[in-house]
Amino acid sequence: MALTPLDIQNKTFPTKMRGYNQDEVDDFLDLVVRDYEEATTKNRELEKAIKHSEEKLEYFNELKDALNQSIIVAQDTADKVKTSASKESEVIVTSAQNKADELVANAEKRAHQLTTDAEEKARQILTDATEKAKQLATETEDLKKRTRVFHQRISLMLESQLEQVKSPEWDEILQPFSSYVNDSHEVIKEVLAKQLDNENNPVVNSESETLESPAVQTFDTREIDLSVIADENE
């Protein structure tokens, strides 16, 4: 059991002959008690300091363990985040690539469709134009044939009319009326003589032409109806 300053101070020694001086022993014991008390006090303070240091050390050790654990957790979290980010980036890149491929495919499909439609429309326009050209050529050729037939018919008709005009019957018709009148027809001769005088007189002749103009007009209106002939050709 450890001694205390009070144990030292209360310690008594029996006296014997030729023993130590009691006052000197007491004085020395007082010094020992004082020094022991100081040493005990310092020891307690050191024990408190050591205990406090140990508590701090334990706190720091726990803090170190917590920090190490936090570092481990942080590292694990970072690895997970990195892995997740890598996977997510791969998914995004893959999705973007798929989307780009889809857009390119749709664009190519649309372009092909537009090209096909344009070619089909161009072929249709060319076909229609060719058919119209053929139809126009056929109609033109048909019109030329009809025109040739019309020309032939009107030529034949005019030639026929010209032949009729050149026939001897017209010579007889165009002879003067006087050639048909005998000497016995005095009245008719007088009329013819008067008619001859009117022809020689300009004024009378002009009036005669005016009177004859309706007849001439009547003759002019007897033109050939070409439209009727054209209808007959059709």
Side-chain angles (χ1 to χ4, degrees):
M1 185 176 178
L3 293 175
T4 63
L6 185 59
D7 292 336
I8 296 173
Q9 187 175 4
N10 293 328
K11 181 65 178 176
T12 59
F13 298 94
T15 59
K16 292 183 179 180
M17 290 181 64
R18 298 179 63 109
Y20 293 104
N21 186 343
Q22 185 174 357
D23 292 333
E24 291 180 0
V25 172
D26 292 336
D27 292 336
F28 180 75
L29 290 174
D30 291 336
L31 292 173
V32 171
V33 168
R34 188 173 59 254
D35 292 339
Y36 190 78
E37 286 180 351
E38 290 178 358
T40 302
T41 301
K42 289 181 180 180
N43 188 28
R44 289 176 180 174
E45 290 177 355
L46 290 175
E47 288 179 354
K48 290 180 179 181
I50 291 172
K51 185 177 181 181
H52 184 65
S53 298
E54 289 177 350
E55 290 177 354
K56 285 185 176 181
L57 180 61
E58 184 178 0
Y59 170 76
F60 285 125
N61 287 331
E62 291 177 355
L63 182 61
K64 182 186 71 173
D65 294 338
L67 290 175
N68 290 334
Q69 188 65 29
S70 297
I71 291 172
I72 294 173
V73 173
Q75 185 65 39
D76 184 62
T77 303
D79 293 339
K80 290 181 179 180
V81 171
K82 183 178 179 181
T83 303
S84 177
S86 179
K87 291 181 179 179
E88 186 175 357
S89 63
E90 290 178 358
V91 171
I92 293 174
V93 171
T94 303
S95 177
Q97 185 64 39
N98 293 333
K99 187 67 175 178
D101 294 340
E102 183 179 357
L103 291 175
V104 171
N106 291 335
E108 291 178 350
K109 185 177 180 181
R110 180 61 176 170
H112 178 71
Q113 183 65 35
L114 291 175
T115 303
T116 304
D117 292 343
E119 292 177 352
E120 183 64 26
K121 190 172 183 179
R123 284 194 294 270
Q124 185 64 35
I125 291 173
L126 181 60
T127 302
D128 293 342
T130 303
E131 291 296 329
K132 288 182 179 179
K134 290 180 179 179
Q135 183 179 0
L136 181 61
T138 303
E139 292 177 356
T140 302
E141 185 63 25
D142 184 62
L143 180 60
K144 287 183 177 181
K145 289 180 180 179
R146 292 184 180 183
T147 303
R148 285 194 293 269
V149 172
F150 172 74
H151 182 267
Q152 291 174 358
R153 289 188 178 183
I154 194 171
S155 296
L156 292 174
M157 184 186 69
L158 292 175
E159 289 176 359
S160 176
Q161 294 293 329
L162 184 60
E163 291 295 330
Q164 291 179 6
V165 170
K166 291 180 180 180
S167 65
E169 297 177 356
W170 281 98
D171 293 336
E172 184 179 355
I173 294 173
L174 294 175
Q175 288 181 2
F177 182 69
S178 61
S179 62
Y180 298 99
V181 179
N182 296 325
D183 294 338
S184 59
H185 298 86
E186 294 296 336
V187 177
I188 296 175
K189 286 184 176 181
E190 290 178 0
V191 173
L192 292 176
K194 187 177 180 180
Q195 180 67 28
L196 182 61
D197 292 338
N198 291 334
E199 291 178 355
N200 293 329
N201 189 347
V203 176
V204 176
N205 191 22
S206 176
E207 293 177 353
S208 176
E209 289 179 356
T210 303
L211 293 173
E212 290 179 355
S213 59
V216 174
Q217 291 177 358
T218 304
F219 179 79
D220 292 339
T221 56
R222 296 174 61 187
E223 296 178 350
I224 300 172
D225 192 352
L226 300 182
S227 62
V228 175
I229 299 175
D231 293 335
E232 293 178 356
N233 291 334
E234 295 180 355

